[in-house]
C-alpha cells in the first residue's frame, strides 16, 4: 500500500508512506508507485495504530443485545427495568435476558434470587454488575447453567467460572457471533488496530476460527494454562493477526463491589471484613507465575487495591517473570517505586477514574491521591499502557486519553491534577510501544483529520492549566479518524 500526502505531526512536511509485507518500507515526498494499492491521505495526520490493552471480548460482543442497567439507584428501579424489558419482548421471545451496568453499592438492599424470580418467572435472567465482578441470576438461569440453587449473587471467582458459559443460554451464542463482527468494526473505526483479549474460557482456541480484521493478543487463565499454545507471541492464525498473550490472574476484586484488597479498611466496612478479598493466596500466585515462566508466557495480574498490588509485586519479584499489573488503580509510593525497579508495566484504564472519583473519596477517604497515579508511574520510569476494560467502559482509546489528560467528567477541575498526562504521553501509552513512525516499523497506521496532541501549558508549579487541559481532552474526544490500516490493508475508512 502507498499512502499519499500525509503529515507525521503538527508542522511536519507532507510525505508519502509505503507499506510492504506489513512493515513501513519507505517514507518520503513523491514516492513512485510500484504496483501498490494507493490511499489518498489528502494532507491528513498519520499516527501509529492504537491498541486497547484490556478488553473482555466475549462480554463486549454480547453488549449490543444486553439490557443497559447503568445508573439505576435502587433495587426496585432495577427490577422495574427488568419487568419493562420482558413485557416489551413478549412471551414468545424465547431468549435469555442479560443485563449489565448496575452497581451493588447503589441498590440499597440485598439482591436475592427469590426477588429476581418474582420479576422474571421462567425467563433465564443474568444481571451483571458494571464492574463485571458479580452477577445476579434467577432460578431459571441457574438451572440452565446446571448451577445449584442459591440465595443471592455470584461474585468474584464463583462468577468468573460462569461468564464463558453464558452462550449456553437461549439466544446468547447468536448475540456473540453478531457482536464479534460489530466490536471489530467499531474498534477499527476509532483507530484501534489491536487489542489484548482478557476474556475467560479459551479465546486462544476461538479467535483463530473467527473472521479477524485486527490484531488480537489473547490471554489464558490458570485453569487452561496447560492447553495454551506456545509462549507469549506465538502466532495462532494463518493471517498472523492472532497471537498468544499473557497468563491472566485475578488477585483481588473491584472498587464497586467493595472487594478490591486494601491495606486499610473501607470507610463503611461492607463485605469481606471491610478490606476486600484476596482471590489467590500468595503461594498459589507464585506457583501460577512460575508455571507461566516455564511455558514462556508473560503475566498480567489484576490488582486494584494497594494490598493486592503489594502481593503481586512480591510474587513477580520472587519468580522473576515479565509482568504487568492490570488496573494498578491504588498504589503507595513504595508500590510505584517497586514497579519501576522491577520493570512491571502498569496496564491502566483511565476512563474508570471518571466514575470512580466520587466513590473513591467516599469509601477510601483521604487516600484518593493513591488512585490512578499515571504521572508518578511515568516519572518513576514504570512502563504505562492504556486500555478500556470494555464492556465496563466503551472500547474507545480517545476517551481513555482524554481522561488521562484532564481527569474530570464534569465541570469540576481535574481530580488530583498532578497525575495528569500530556496528550502526547497519553498517545504513547496507547500504541503498544510504537513511539514513532519510521522505516522498518509495523505498518499499522491511522489517519486523522486534525492533530490533538499539542502540549498543554503548565504553570510555575508544573501543573497544567485546567482550562487548557479541559480543552485538550475535548479535542481528543472529538477527533475524527479518517482511515485505519492493519498489516497494509485498509481496515476502516470514514
Amino acid at each position: 500500500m502507498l499512502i499519499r500526502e500525509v503529515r507525521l505531526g503538527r508542522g511536519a512536511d507532507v510525505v508519502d508512506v509505503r507499506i510492504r509485507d506489513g512493515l513501513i518500507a519507505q517514507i518520503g515526498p513523491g514516492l513512485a508507485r510500484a504496483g501498490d494499492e494507493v490511499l489518498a491521505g489528502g494532507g491528513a495526520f498519520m499516527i501509529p495504530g492504537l491498541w486497547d490493552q484490556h478488553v473482555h471480548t466475549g462480554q463486549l460482543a454480547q453488549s449490543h443485545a444486553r439490557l443497559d442497567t447503568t445508573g439505576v439507584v435502587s433495587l426496585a428501579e432495577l427490577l422495574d427495568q427488568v419487568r419493562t424489558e420482558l413485557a416489551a419482548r413478549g412471551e414468545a421471545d424465547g431468549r435469555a435476558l442479560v443485563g449489565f451496568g448496575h452497581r451493588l453499592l447503589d441498590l440499597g438492599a440485598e439482591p436475592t434470587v427469590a426477588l429476581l424470580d418474582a420479576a422474571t418467572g421462567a425467563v433465564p435472567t443474568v444481571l451483571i454488575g458494571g464492574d463485571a465482578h458479580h452477577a445476579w441470576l434467577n432460578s431459571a438461569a441457574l438451572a440452565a447453567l446446571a448451577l445449584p440453587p442459591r440465595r443471592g449473587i455470584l461474585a468474584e471467582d464463583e462468577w468468573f467460572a460462569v461468564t464463558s458459559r453464558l452462550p449456553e443460554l437461549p439466544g446468547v451464542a447468536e448475540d456473540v457471533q453478531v457482536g464479534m463482527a460489530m466490536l471489530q468494526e467499531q474498534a477499527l473505526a476509532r483507530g484501534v488496530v489491536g487489542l489484548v483479549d482478557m476474556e475467560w474460557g479459551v479465546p486462544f482456541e476461538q479467535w483463530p476460527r473467527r473472521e479477524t480484521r485486527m490484531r488480537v493478543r489473547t490471554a489464558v487463565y490458570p485453569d487452561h494454562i496447560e492447553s495454551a499454545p506456545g509462549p507469549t507471541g506465538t502466532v495462532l492464525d494463518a493471517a498472523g493477526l492472532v497471537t498468544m498473550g499473557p497468563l491472566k490472574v485475578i488477585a483481588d476484586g473491584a472498587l464497586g463491589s467493595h472487594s478490591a484488597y486494601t491495606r486499610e479498611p473501607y470507610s463503611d466496612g461492607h463485605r469481606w471484613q471491610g478490606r476486600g478479598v484476596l482471590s489467590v493466596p500468595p503461594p498459589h500466585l507464585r506457583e501460577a507465575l512460575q508455571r507461566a515462566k516455564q511455558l514462556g508466557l508473560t503475566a498480567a495480574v489484576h490488582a486494584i487495591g494497594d494490598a493486592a498490588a503489594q502481593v503481586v509485586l512480591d510474587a513477580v519479584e520472587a519468580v522473576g517473570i515479565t509482568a504487568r499489573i492490570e488496573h494498578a488503580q491504588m498504589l503507595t509510593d513504595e508500590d510505584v517505586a517497586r514497579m519501576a525497579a522491577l520493570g512491571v508495566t502498569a496496564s491502566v484504564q483511565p476512563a474508570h477514574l471518571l466514575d470512580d472519583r466520587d466513590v473513591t473519596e467516599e469509601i477510601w477517604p483521604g487516600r484518593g491521591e493513591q488512585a490512578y497515579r499515571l504521572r508518578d508511574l511515568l516519572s518513576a520510569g514504570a512502563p504505562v499502557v492504556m486500555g478500556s476494560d470494555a464492556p465496563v467502559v466503551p472500547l474507545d482509546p480517545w476517551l481513555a486519553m482524554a481522561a488521562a489528560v484532564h481527569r474530570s467528567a464534569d465541570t469540576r477541575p481535574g481530580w488530583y491534577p498532578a497525575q495528569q498526562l500530556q496528550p502526547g504521553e497519553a498517545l504513547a501509552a496507547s500504541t503498544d510501544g510504537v513511539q514513532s513512525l519510521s522505516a522498518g516499523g509495523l505498518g499499522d497506521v491511522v489517519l486523522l483529520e486534525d492533530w490533538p496532541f499539542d502540549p498543554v501549558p503548565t504553570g510555575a508549579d508544573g501543573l497544567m492549566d485546567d482550562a487548557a487541559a479541559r480543552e485538550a481532552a475535548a479535542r481528543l474526544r472529538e477527533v475524527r479518524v479518517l482511515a485505519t490500516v492493519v498489516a497494509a490493508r485498509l481496515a476502516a475508512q470514514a
Side-chain angles (χ1 to χ4, degrees):
M1 173 176 284
L2 181 62
I3 306 177
R4 293 283 194 197
E5 298 183 339
V6 294
R7 291 173 286 175
L8 306 187
R10 177 79 73 192
D13 293 335
V14 173
V15 295
D16 297 343
V17 177
R18 176 174 283 118
I19 302 173
R20 183 172 292 158
D21 297 326
L23 301 176
I24 296 176
Q26 197 175 5
I27 299 176
L31 297 181
R33 182 174 181 178
D36 309 282
E37 176 187 353
V38 175
L39 175 62
F45 293 96
M46 178 182 285
I47 62 170
L50 304 176
W51 273 69
D52 191 311
Q53 295 285 339
H54 192 121
V55 180
H56 294 273
T57 61
Q59 300 296 304
L60 180 58
Q62 297 172 46
S63 61
H64 71 98
R66 285 178 171 173
L67 173 65
D68 184 5
T69 63
T70 305
V72 298
V73 296
S74 69
L75 194 69
E77 183 184 351
L78 179 56
L79 291 173
D80 282 345
Q81 196 170 349
V82 167
R83 293 188 190 97
T84 300
E85 172 67 17
L86 290 176
R89 289 186 177 190
E91 294 183 5
D93 184 276
R95 295 174 298 147
L97 172 60
V98 180
F100 182 91
H102 70 272
R103 299 193 305 177
L104 271 182
L105 56 85
D106 293 330
L107 298 186
E110 180 186 2
T112 66
V113 173
L115 283 172
L116 191 55
D117 285 350
T120 58
V123 178
T125 301
V126 181
L127 303 179
I128 305 168
D131 59 13
H133 276 248
H134 78 271
W136 185 13
L137 282 67
N138 70 354
S139 294
L142 292 168
L145 296 170
L147 300 173
R150 60 186 303 110
R151 171 181 170 80
I153 64 169
L154 273 69
E156 304 304 332
D157 287 347
E158 213 179 8
W159 162 238
F160 300 148
V162 173
T163 54
S164 62
R165 297 183 55 208
L166 290 187
E168 297 174 22
L169 298 176
V172 175
E174 293 80 1
D175 292 337
V176 170
Q177 184 175 359
V178 172
M180 282 296 176
M182 291 175 60
L183 76 84
Q184 291 187 74
E185 181 179 354
Q186 291 167 359
L188 289 164
R190 291 171 178 150
V192 178
V193 300
L195 55 85
V196 180
D197 188 2
M198 298 294 187
E199 190 58 275
W200 294 272
V202 287
F204 53 85
E205 294 180 358
Q206 297 160 347
W207 272 107
R209 299 196 295 263
R210 293 174 178 146
E211 182 180 351
T212 308
R213 300 168 52 199
M214 60 192 305
R215 299 190 187 275
V216 177
R217 193 175 298 144
T218 174
V220 59
Y221 285 76
D223 52 349
H224 293 291
I225 190 171
E226 299 303 332
S227 61
T232 294
T234 298
V235 176
L236 303 181
D237 70 327
L241 294 176
V242 181
T243 56
M244 192 62 219
L247 169 71
K248 172 71 183 295
V249 184
I250 297 178
D252 71 340
L255 171 70
S257 297
H258 279 58
S259 53
Y261 186 53
T262 58
R263 286 175 167 93
E264 301 294 331
Y266 291 79
S267 64
D268 55 355
H270 201 57
R271 306 163 67 192
W272 294 289
Q273 291 73 53
R275 290 185 53 216
V277 58
L278 185 63
S279 303
V280 183
H284 293 176
L285 178 58
R286 289 194 297 271
E287 289 172 9
L289 298 189
Q290 185 62 52
R291 184 56 179 149
K293 185 178 180 181
Q294 292 169 351
L295 295 171
L297 297 170
T298 60
V301 188
H302 165 121
I304 289 181
D306 56 353
Q310 182 181 41
V311 169
V312 172
L313 290 171
D314 288 345
V316 169
E317 185 172 16
V319 173
I321 189 172
T322 300
R324 354 190 297 182
I325 291 184
E326 301 301 319
H327 310 301
Q329 185 169 327
M330 188 181 187
L331 301 171
T332 64
D333 291 345
E334 178 190 6
D335 298 330
V336 171
R338 288 186 73 193
M339 289 182 71
L342 295 172
V344 174
T345 297
S347 173
V348 296
Q349 299 77 46
H352 281 321
L353 71 84
L354 304 177
D355 294 324
D356 289 349
R357 175 177 187 166
D358 293 327
V359 178
T360 299
E361 298 292 359
E362 177 185 345
I363 66 177
W364 290 337
R367 288 180 287 155
E369 63 184 8
Q370 290 182 239
Y372 300 97
R373 300 181 65 172
L374 307 184
R375 167 60 55 202
D376 288 345
L377 286 162
L378 281 183
S379 297
V384 176
V385 297
M386 301 198 318
S388 65
D389 201 15
V392 179
V393 297
L395 199 170
D396 184 350
W398 304 103
L399 174 62
M401 285 187 266
V405 168
H406 187 235
R407 297 174 66 98
S408 179
D410 49 40
T411 58
R412 290 177 292 179
W415 186 42
Y416 292 99
Q419 299 301 328
Q420 291 171 331
L421 299 187
Q422 287 285 349
E425 293 171 324
L427 172 64
S430 304
T431 57
D432 201 42
V434 180
Q435 300 302 302
S436 62
L437 295 172
S438 59
L442 199 61
D444 299 341
V445 298
V446 177
L447 272 59
L448 307 178
E449 186 175 57
D450 199 0
W451 184 258
F453 306 110
D454 295 327
V456 177
T458 56
D461 56 3
L463 300 181
M464 295 185 198
D465 175 78
D466 187 73
R470 182 184 299 277
E471 183 179 346
R475 285 198 300 271
L476 286 164
R477 287 193 300 269
E478 295 165 3
V479 73
R480 183 167 180 251
V481 174
L482 300 177
T484 302
V485 175
V486 179
R489 295 181 179 179
L490 182 61
Q493 189 170 24

